[in-house]
């Protein structure tokens, strides 16, 4: 199994002057799910190199078993510091792709033509695509083979409007994930705020929030086993 994980390269939270990036739990938990299952994991980002970490995801109250394991794993840290640039990524080289969230992807990966083309190529080849929390926002410009929005008529989830309100960033983000998925015609589903919730619709797997990251990774592995 060859699994590609794509992280954001965007580190600025709008015009607030605050930093953002990827959410540590949403990277670390899936990374170890895949690694422990014997998968070969490749890390990539739009710019390559060290992707920016959302500092809030590294605060004491955000730590989990996976993030603590990562902090003690020098090899994993070195791999994260040397992500491949998206220019060097080819869909044919991987069996699946996973997008961790954090607010960063709303600015870069959601608009990146290389990411959009990669997702379209993976799904056209019958390979699963998974995105968690804010990362379902990367689907906003992805098209199905019909030319319609990929998510139109499909069951999906992602960071909810009320979760965005809770972190007080509703007026900062370039778009709200829930609203955008609904605008595109998706059949948006959700659980209560901060509860794990994962939706699978064919080869498209989405998770609602950070608590969903491990379950989303497990769903991706199960999808690969059933192919």
């Amino acid at each position: 199994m060859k699994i590609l994980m794509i992280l954001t390269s965007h580190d600025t939270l709008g015009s607030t002057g605050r930093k953002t990036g990827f959410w540590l739990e949403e990277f670390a938990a899936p990374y170890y799910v895949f690694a422990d299952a014997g998968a070969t994991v490749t890390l990539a980002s739009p710019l390559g190199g060290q992707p920016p970490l959302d500092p809030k995801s590294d605060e004491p109250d955000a730590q989990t078993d996976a993030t603590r394991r990562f902090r003690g794993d020098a090899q994993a840290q070195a791999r994260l510091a040397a992500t491949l640039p998206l220019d060097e990524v080819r869909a044919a080289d991987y069996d699946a792709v996973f997008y961790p969230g954090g607010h960063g992807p709303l600015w870069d990966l959601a608009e990146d033509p290389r990411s959009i083309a990669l997702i379209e190529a993976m799904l056209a080849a019958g390979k699963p695509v998974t995105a968690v929390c804010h990362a379902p926002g990367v689907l906003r410009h992805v098209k199905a083979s019909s030319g319609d929005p990929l998510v139109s008529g499909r069951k999906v989830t992602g960071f909810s409007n009320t979760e965005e309100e809770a972190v007080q960033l509703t007026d900062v983000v370039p778009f709200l994930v829930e609203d955008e998925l609904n605008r595109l015609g998706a059949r948006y589903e959700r659980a209560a705020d901060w509860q794990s919730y994962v939706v699978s619709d064919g080869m498209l797997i989405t998770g609602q929030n950070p608590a969903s990251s491990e379950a989303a990774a497990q769903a991706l592995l199960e999808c690969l086993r059933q192919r």
Side-chain angles (χ1 to χ4, degrees), residues 83-143:
T83 65
L84 284 176
L86 270 182
D87 283 339
E88 298 181 15
V89 170
R90 302 290 178 268
D93 295 336
Y94 304 99
D95 299 308
V97 62
F98 188 101
Y99 285 81
H103 284 88
L106 299 184
W107 277 274
D108 64 352
L109 287 167
E111 309 298 327
D112 193 304
R114 298 165 299 179
S115 175
I116 294 164
L118 176 77
I119 294 170
E120 291 174 348
M122 294 292 286
L123 291 172
K127 298 176 180 180
V129 172
T130 304
V132 168
C133 196
H134 287 89
V138 308
L139 303 171
R140 71 185 308 213
H141 296 305
V142 178
K143 303 294 186 183

Side-chain angles (χ1 to χ4, degrees), residues 9 30 36 40 42 47 57 65-66 68 71-72 78 83 127 149 155 162 164 177 182 191 204 226:
S9 293
D36 291 348
T40 299
T42 299
L47 298 180
S57 72
D65 289 345
R68 285 186 284 269
R71 285 306 180 198
T83 65
K127 298 176 180 180
K155 295 187 296 182
T162 53
E164 201 69 80
V177 174
N182 282 324
L204 182 62
Q226 293 179 359

Side-chain angles (χ1 to χ4, degrees), residues 21-227:
F22 73 93
W23 198 261
L24 184 56
E25 161 69 8
E26 296 170 31
F27 162 71
Y31 177 85
Y32 287 116
V33 167
F34 301 147
D36 291 348
T40 299
V41 182
T42 299
L43 308 180
S45 63
L47 298 180
Q50 177 71 59
L53 173 67
D54 188 314
K56 285 191 171 295
S57 72
D58 206 23
E59 292 178 352
D61 62 355
Q63 299 311 299
T64 65
D65 289 345
T67 65
R68 285 186 284 269
R69 180 177 174 183
F70 174 74
R71 285 306 180 198
D73 187 342
Q75 183 180 33
Q77 292 175 41
R79 295 191 66 204
L80 182 65
T83 65
L84 284 176
L86 270 182
D87 283 339
E88 298 181 15
V89 170
R90 302 290 178 268
D93 295 336
Y94 304 99
D95 299 308
V97 62
F98 188 101
Y99 285 81
H103 284 88
L106 299 184
W107 277 274
D108 64 352
L109 287 167
E111 309 298 327
D112 193 304
R114 298 165 299 179
S115 175
I116 294 164
L118 176 77
I119 294 170
E120 291 174 348
M122 294 292 286
L123 291 172
K127 298 176 180 180
V129 172
T130 304
V132 168
C133 196
H134 287 89
V138 308
L139 303 171
R140 71 185 308 213
H141 296 305
V142 178
K143 303 294 186 183
S145 58
S146 63
D148 294 326
L150 172 72
V151 299
S152 180
R154 301 183 76 157
K155 295 187 296 182
V156 296
T157 190
F159 206 58
S160 68
N161 288 353
T162 53
E163 287 168 324
E164 201 69 80
E165 290 166 10
V167 298
Q168 301 181 336
L169 292 173
T170 300
D171 297 326
V172 174
V173 292
F175 62 93
L176 296 170
V177 174
E178 178 181 342
D179 281 357
E180 184 68 2
L181 292 171
N182 282 324
R183 183 187 72 79
L184 293 167
R187 295 161 58 192
Y188 177 83
E189 300 180 0
R190 56 162 297 176
D193 289 358
W194 315 118
Q195 300 303 303
S196 177
Y197 191 70
V198 175
V199 174
S200 296
D201 189 317
M203 292 292 112
L204 182 62
I205 302 165
T206 47
Q208 181 177 327
N209 48 34
S212 312
S213 55
E214 183 172 342
Q218 295 286 6
L220 176 56
L221 286 184
E222 184 60 27
C223 186
L224 285 173
R225 294 183 183 116
Q226 293 179 359
R227 284 183 66 210

